[in-house]
Amino acid sequence: MNSYLQSARGRFWILVTIVSISGFSQGMLLPLIAVIFEQDGVSSALNGLSATGLYVGTLLIAPFMEPQLRKFGYKPLILVGGGLVILSLFLFTLWKSVLFWFLLRILIGVGDQALHFSTQTWITSTSPQHRLGRNIAIYGMSFSIGFGAGPLFVPMVEVFEALPFIVSGILCLFAWSLVFLVKNDFPEATGSAMTARGTIGRFKAATLIAWVAFLPPLGYGFLEASLNAIYPVYALRQSIEVGMVSIMLAAFSAGAIATQLPLGNLSDRIGRKKVLLVALVGGAVVFVAASFYETNAWMTVGFFALAGMFVGSTFSLGISYMADLMPKDLLPTGNLLCGIAFSIGSLAGPTMGGVFIQYSGGLSFLLLIASILFVIALPIALKKPTNTSVV
């Protein structure tokens, strides 16, 4: 048993488990706090602004992640990141305040950035090229499974308000304990990797090489954060019950789970760009169609499931696309920039979504999401072919 856990395969499945529990905590936290604040009479704009705390934390810590990863390795960063998330989840139960919860969300963002950056880079750095799309798809699928299960626990708030935070904290503690079973490892490095000048140069080089691959994570960040933090507010104002909102969000994640692995395998065969374009444009079309039927809750559930089947893989496909384009020694930088792009999109999602609801004059919130997906798809479609090919 111990030899299996120390093997590359055993380590991969431990990392996948950790990511799924982390996805659960994020998937629960965004709609949970949005519902609590909406029921307490907090404005939609302030509600959306509060949700950005998670992504403020990821952006604040991002510039410091790569040097620490190269110095200490993957395992210590995962342990520190997971520990911060667990501590913050339990602290939510002590005092309810918009400012205090905003600060806790920043702390969770710091922890999530350390955890996801380390696991993501570990997987992309050690996966063979011909299985890269598959492995990253499994990584994304595990997060989606957790993220999809998260909203289903939001109704526990009706039992007592602290219960969802306690359950999430306990599950994260279990996943965190698994990290002690794996052996530490370090990413490949060049001589300039640890210098400030080298870090800046690597950021510039990675951006020039693979900037287009950072757009899908940015778009998915916007989609995920706005759907989970702001759509519940919009839905409640459309007289949709909290339980039904949870089902809608879970349906989106279920759709993403269903197609994550097939799309990952397909991208290994025909290329990431083709699959990404179909996913982004298809998802945008579905959201436009859903905007005409959103007063029918069960039809909206169906549209959300279909949309998830299209766009639920855009983050993992973006990472795979980046790994195709990036030299191996720049993979940590590329993964970090994917995370930064995701965080920027996630910051924009709740902020723009909250303002949109407040000032759009009743225009469907789903049209905002469709517009963003179309905008993200355009530069990918116009990107000229490179010499890099998918194996």
Side-chain angles (χ1 to χ4, degrees):
M1 181 64 178
N2 187 58
S3 61
Y4 174 78
L5 293 174
Q6 295 296 326
S7 68
R9 185 176 177 83
R11 180 189 65 214
F12 173 77
W13 287 110
I14 286 176
L15 295 178
V16 163
T17 302
I18 293 166
V19 168
S20 67
I21 301 299
S22 172
F24 169 81
S25 67
Q26 288 189 40
M28 183 204 70
L29 206 60
L30 285 169
L32 172 65
I33 296 178
V35 167
I36 290 173
F37 282 168
E38 174 67 11
Q39 291 176 343
D40 288 349
V42 176
S43 72
S44 63
L46 183 57
N47 205 331
L49 184 62
S50 172
T52 64
L54 179 70
Y55 310 107
V56 169
T58 64
L59 285 175
L60 286 176
I61 200 65
F64 308 100
M65 281 287 99
E66 187 180 0
Q68 303 310 313
L69 179 66
R70 295 186 181 278
K71 183 177 181 180
F72 297 107
Y74 299 109
K75 181 176 176 178
L77 257 68
I78 296 173
L79 288 171
V80 171
L84 285 174
V85 171
I86 293 165
L87 175 65
S88 302
L89 285 170
F90 286 122
L91 287 176
F92 273 105
T93 65
L94 297 182
W95 180 37
K96 184 166 69 171
S97 159
V98 173
L99 178 59
F100 180 61
W101 282 16
F102 179 76
L103 295 175
L104 289 180
R105 287 169 126 171
I106 291 177
L107 197 59
I108 286 180
V110 171
D112 276 335
Q113 174 73 336
L115 191 153
H116 286 285
F117 170 56
S118 302
T119 55
Q120 188 177 296
T121 305
W122 209 345
I123 291 172
T124 54
S125 297
T126 56
S127 295
Q129 184 67 23
H130 68 282
R131 299 186 73 179
L132 177 62
R134 172 190 175 275
N135 285 354
I136 294 299
I138 292 173
Y139 170 90
M141 185 171 64
S142 68
F143 183 86
S144 296
I145 290 171
F147 203 90
L152 296 176
F153 284 71
V154 171
M156 289 195 317
V157 73
E158 296 173 1
V159 180
F160 71 97
E161 203 166 79
L163 182 59
F165 298 106
I166 295 171
V167 170
S168 182
I170 292 172
L171 288 174
C172 286
L173 184 62
F174 164 75
W176 183 73
S177 66
L178 296 176
V179 186
F180 291 97
L181 301 176
V182 302
K183 184 180 179 181
N184 193 25
D185 198 5
F186 295 81
E188 291 186 12
T190 60
S192 63
M194 298 304 294
T195 67
R197 195 162 114 193
T199 299
I200 295 171
R202 291 164 73 83
F203 269 69
K204 289 181 178 178
T207 302
L208 288 172
I209 292 169
W211 65 271
V212 73
F214 304 142
L215 296 178
L218 185 146
Y220 188 75
F222 184 98
L223 172 68
E224 178 194 271
S226 59
L227 272 185
N228 286 275
I230 295 301
Y231 184 75
V233 175
Y234 175 77
L236 289 174
R237 295 187 179 186
Q238 300 294 314
S239 300
I240 298 173
E241 296 179 355
V242 172
M244 183 56 70
V245 175
S246 297
I247 293 173
M248 290 174 181
L249 297 179
F252 178 86
S253 294
I257 292 164
T259 57
Q260 191 92 219
L261 190 55
L263 288 178
N265 284 329
L266 184 62
S267 73
D268 280 333
R269 295 169 53 195
I270 69 173
R272 321 293 176 202
K273 179 178 176 178
K274 293 177 182 177
V275 178
L276 274 167
L277 287 175
V278 171
L280 290 166
V281 174
V285 170
V286 171
F287 277 119
V288 170
S291 69
F292 293 101
Y293 299 96
E294 59 188 348
T295 54
N296 187 317
W298 284 108
M299 283 196 70
T300 304
V301 168
F303 277 118
F304 269 46
L306 186 59
M309 294 174 74
F310 278 105
V311 297
S313 301
T314 49
F315 181 75
S316 57
L317 287 170
I319 294 172
S320 301
Y321 193 20
M322 177 277 300
D324 288 338
L325 301 174
M326 202 73 71
K328 195 140 190 176
D329 70 302
L330 280 175
L331 275 177
T333 310
N335 278 284
L336 183 60
L337 288 172
C338 280
I340 290 173
F342 174 83
S343 298
I344 292 172
S346 301
L347 277 169
T351 304
M352 288 177 60
V355 172
F356 182 87
I357 290 174
Q358 197 151 336
Y359 299 106
S360 65
L363 195 64
S364 174
F365 177 74
L366 300 180
L367 294 177
L368 172 64
I369 295 174
S371 301
I372 295 297
L373 293 175
F374 275 125
V375 169
I376 293 295
L378 185 60
I380 296 175
L382 296 177
K383 175 75 166 63
K384 294 181 180 179
T386 64
N387 293 326
T388 303
S389 61
V390 179
V391 178

